[in-house]
Amino acid sequence: MATIASEAPPSQVDTPASSHESQLITAPKTKKRSQETQPGIVYLSRIPTFMKPRRIQQIFGQHGEIGRTFMQPEDKNSRQARKKKGGSKTVVFCEGWVEYKDKKIAKRVALTLNNTRVSGKKRSRYYDDLWSLKYLHRFQWAHLAGQLEYERQVQKQRVRAEVVQVKKETNLYLKNVEKSTWLDRMEKKKKKQGQEWTHRLHEYKQRTSRDHQSTLHVQRSGKVSSSLLGKIFASKE
């Protein structure tokens, strides 16, 4: 018998997938949020006398990167008064704000430098001066601009009120001067005519107080009220 050779079925062998179909196993990407450094502001409640803003920037710039700085100059009236007394003509700053690019540095500077000597050298004029610093929590530079604008508006309103008050006083003074000159003219005119000149005096009756009324009542009736006796003995005690 002839043997029939049966063709064996092709072996099912797993062929490697193409490069396009290959699955690449990658590690999960971790999203790292770039935390931007937030600025912080240090408040200087007092600035050493005759210290310039540039010097303050040099001192505080040694501890970290500085952004903006602002120094509040003294009032013009106080400066003019100092000039009249023969004092220095240089501008004196009373308070200031220093902005650091990183608020952590601002906090550290406020904690370490507060109540410390401005200068460690004994020959320095700032040897006896102490820093008075405070970190302003959640305070931004825009808040400072708004505060300064508010203070300017308040100062303008105060000046306007003072000007109005001065105008009232000057108008009243001029009115009284005109009245006095008119009275002098009338007096001279009446004297030339041989007539008597008498000024009109307005008489105002003053209202009596309660104590005065009680004393008048005692004088009229001859009896002393219990309330009056209580006041007298209380005052002696």
Side-chain angles (χ1 to χ4, degrees), residues 125-138:
R125 67 163 65 174
Y126 306 120
Y127 179 74
D128 295 328
D129 290 331
L130 299 177
W131 288 117
S132 180
L133 308 178
K134 183 181 179 181
Y135 173 74
L136 301 179
H137 186 62
R138 293 182 180 179

Side-chain angles (χ1 to χ4, degrees), residues 198-214:
T198 55
H199 297 284
R200 288 185 180 181
L201 299 176
H202 298 281
E203 295 182 358
Y204 299 96
K205 292 183 179 180
Q206 186 176 2
R207 299 177 65 180
T208 56
S209 62
R210 291 182 180 179
D211 295 336
H212 186 60
Q213 289 178 1
S214 61

Side-chain angles (χ1 to χ4, degrees), residues 32-43:
K32 294 182 179 179
R33 295 181 180 177
S34 59
Q35 296 179 355
E36 296 180 356
T37 57
Q38 297 180 357
I41 298 175
V42 177
Y43 172 66

Side-chain angles (χ1 to χ4, degrees), residues 15-26:
T15 58
S18 61
S19 61
H20 295 286
E21 295 177 354
S22 62
Q23 296 178 356
L24 299 175
I25 301 173
T26 57

